[in-house]
Amino acid sequence: MLSAAKERQLKIVNRLKVEQFMRIIDLVELVNYSEATVKRDLVELEKEGLVRRTRGGAMIIDNKKIDLPYLMKMNERSNETSKIRIADIAKSLIRDDMVIFLDSSSTSLHLIDVLSKFDGLQIITNGVMTASMLSEFTNARVSILGGSILTKRYTVNGAKAYNDALTYNADIAFVSCRGIDYDKGATETHEGEALIKQAFRRQSSSLVLLVTEEKVGHKFMHQSLACHDIDYLITDFKLGTTVEEQFKAHQITCLY
């Protein structure tokens, strides 16, 4: 559960995503707190790379590049119908007694309810919150990769986690990404997270990429997966005919 401060900050970020820029006076009215409190919130949000303070107000950083702190994402989990739909589609690829890689993305979190319906699963993840919830809500044997936890992201990544992932063999990997296009494949803003996806690909028999609509057609700094690394692409919407044909040319099965 989010603190009062994080609740305010999430409200500010979500409104700025829509408005792009807002004055301090309007933000004060939005959250119903003092100007001094709102200014402190903006300082915190700027440190996290979510907003940029300006004279008399604040503006959102490029929507496509911001990555909300994990607890903020968790707070919106029950409202993410697109990710719930993706998880429901992914269910068709899961069988009892599988060994599964599951990344730390908020999209993958929605698979937990689905995974609870299966027996004999062994799941390896780099997500701290993911591991905790798997342990709480499923009967699976859960392993978490060793390494450094990325600040405010509840994810373990980097070289140590990469090498740890290479000690496992899995039947299937479920991962998400920050962006995907038919030329560069899946991409991330963090190098360490890209490394984890590469390790999961290397050690699993098949890989499933879980993608919401806003991620298609975008690319970021670090490539995690080339198109030929992806076996299944699950989306919450029907891809355009041209886009789907481009993915199919890489032998990717598209499910939606």
Side-chain angles (χ1 to χ4, degrees), residues 26 40 70 93 109 139 156 158 174 184 199 239:
D26 296 323
R40 285 196 297 272
Y70 204 84
L93 301 175
L109 275 179
N139 294 316
V156 182
F174 291 97
K184 295 297 182 182
L239 296 167

Side-chain angles (χ1 to χ4, degrees), residues 111-130:
L111 275 174
I112 292 173
D113 290 340
V114 169
L115 294 167
S116 68
K117 307 295 191 296
F118 294 87
D119 295 319
L121 298 180
Q122 298 182 66
I123 304 174
I124 305 100
T125 182
N126 67 317
V128 177
M129 191 71 72
T130 312

Side-chain angles (χ1 to χ4, degrees), residues 17 21 30 40 58 63 73 78 86 123 128 131-132 152 159 168 183 195 203 210 221 231 237 241 246-247:
K17 282 183 177 180
F21 169 82
L30 172 69
R40 285 196 297 272
N63 264 340
K73 293 180 181 179
S78 61
I86 285 172
I123 304 174
V128 177
S132 176
K152 298 183 180 180
Y168 296 96
D183 181 29
L195 273 174
Q203 300 301 114
L210 313 173
M221 184 173 180
D231 297 298
F237 69 104
T241 302
Q246 289 165 335
F247 284 130

Side-chain angles (χ1 to χ4, degrees), residues 31-87:
V31 299
N32 198 27
Y33 274 79
S34 69
E35 181 175 328
T37 297
V38 169
K39 285 182 175 179
R40 285 196 297 272
D41 286 339
L42 292 176
V43 168
E44 288 300 313
L45 291 170
E46 187 171 56
K47 286 179 181 177
E48 292 176 4
L50 301 176
V51 307
R52 182 174 294 113
R53 290 182 297 153
T54 64
R55 184 181 296 275
M59 61 188 294
I60 196 75
I61 301 296
D62 187 342
N63 264 340
K64 300 182 185 68
K65 294 181 180 178
I66 66 170
D67 189 11
L68 288 178
Y70 204 84
L71 287 182
M72 286 189 177
K73 293 180 181 179
M74 286 289 294
N75 199 52
E76 297 187 319
R77 183 168 174 259
S78 61
N79 298 320
E80 295 178 318
T81 55
S82 59
K83 295 180 181 180
I84 294 171
R85 173 171 170 72
I86 285 172

Side-chain angles (χ1 to χ4, degrees), residues 201-246:
R201 168 65 281 184
R202 179 174 168 181
Q203 300 301 114
S204 61
S205 297
S206 61
L207 183 135
V208 184
L209 189 66
L210 313 173
V211 177
T212 48
E213 184 172 5
E214 73 275 6
K215 296 179 180 180
V216 176
H218 299 294
K219 51 191 172 185
F220 297 89
M221 184 173 180
H222 302 285
Q223 185 184 49
S224 54
L225 301 163
C227 283
H228 63 74
D229 291 322
I230 303 163
D231 297 298
Y232 297 92
L233 177 67
I234 300 181
T235 68
D236 59 321
F237 69 104
K238 182 174 174 57
L239 296 167
T241 302
T242 301
V243 174
E244 185 168 354
E245 288 302 319
Q246 289 165 335

